[in-house]
Amino acid sequence: MLLTLHALRLLGFADTESVAARFSQDPHDVERLLIDAGANGWALRSAFGGTRGWSLTVAGRTENERLLAEELESAGGLAAVTAVHAKFAPLNAGVVAACSKLQLRWLAEGSPNDGIDEQAHQPFTEALASLSDLEVRLTAVLPRFSGYAKRLEQAVANAPTEPAWLTATDRDSFHRIWFELHEDLIATLGIRR
């Protein structure tokens, strides 16, 4: 249930297949868990904009936080995750600033597909380089953190030909993945944004 509720929290609103894919779970098992979560008042199935999916309820968020705290205590990972979060915070400020700068530039000058220069691309590659070490430290105590660096690397690799891969919301963009990682860290530590 932990991975199912947590995937739902990280994704926000998602269909069963997306929830299952987030942590490489079996979709049939996840469907059963989501139905159980719905019966417990932790998840709600609804339709939005022609798409059907699941979202966490307030009670589901509380249950997810309880399960995350239990996982963190069981793994003895509080010190390691806290240390990673402390190193992540300044990286996060840089990524947020870089994303905002690009978005404002594209609003003023034209579409994201007009290209980006090396200077605009650099904050993302630097953040990725720093994150790789942090992910190793995280996965040593909580393996579910695996994969963020690889996903970010793919977004950076796609950006030279299609710069929207840095900030778009309609794909697994750098900004979207980074936001998810930030949510994962703070949820794991039980802190608020």
Side-chain angles (χ1 to χ4, degrees):
M1 186 63 78
L2 166 67
L3 293 179
T4 299
L5 291 179
H6 196 53
L8 197 51
R9 178 179 184 152
L10 296 176
L11 297 171
F13 176 79
D15 60 23
T16 301
E17 291 75 22
S18 298
V19 174
R22 178 58 190 86
F23 290 112
S24 301
Q25 296 177 280
D26 179 86
H28 297 293
D29 293 341
V30 168
E31 178 72 15
R32 182 185 48 77
L33 289 167
L34 287 168
I35 291 168
D36 289 348
N40 286 311
W42 300 334
L44 180 66
R45 181 181 269 174
S46 59
F48 178 76
T51 304
R52 292 190 53 80
W54 294 90
S55 58
L56 278 184
T57 63
V58 172
R61 186 177 176 95
T62 301
E63 177 64 8
N64 178 235
E65 289 169 356
R66 185 190 71 74
L67 292 170
L68 289 170
E70 192 176 87
E71 174 199 41
L72 187 62
E73 183 178 334
S74 174
L78 179 60
V81 178
T82 300
V84 167
H85 183 262
K87 297 227 181 253
F88 177 83
L91 295 174
N92 186 54
V95 168
V96 169
C99 288
S100 295
K101 187 175 179 178
L102 273 179
Q103 289 167 332
L104 290 172
R105 177 178 146 190
W106 290 333
L107 279 173
E109 297 175 8
S111 80
N113 291 326
D114 290 343
I116 59 169
D117 55 31
E118 182 58 35
Q119 185 179 5
H121 198 258
Q122 186 175 352
F124 299 96
T125 56
E126 288 175 358
L128 174 59
S130 297
L131 180 70
S132 295
D133 175 58
L134 297 180
E135 184 177 299
V136 168
R137 293 167 60 188
L138 282 170
T139 58
V141 291
L142 296 173
R144 68 176 165 78
F145 275 97
S146 177
Y148 281 110
K150 185 175 182 168
R151 290 169 59 206
L152 289 165
E153 187 176 300
Q154 186 60 54
V156 167
N158 290 339
T161 56
E162 195 175 347
W165 277 95
L166 295 176
T167 63
T169 58
D170 65 343
R171 64 195 75 195
D172 209 21
S173 71
F174 194 99
H175 186 243
R176 188 171 174 175
I177 300 160
W178 194 267
F179 183 88
E180 185 180 309
L181 172 58
H182 189 200
E183 180 67 19
D184 204 348
L185 280 169
I186 64 176
T188 299
L189 292 171
I191 56 179
R192 302 280 179 223
R193 284 188 188 269

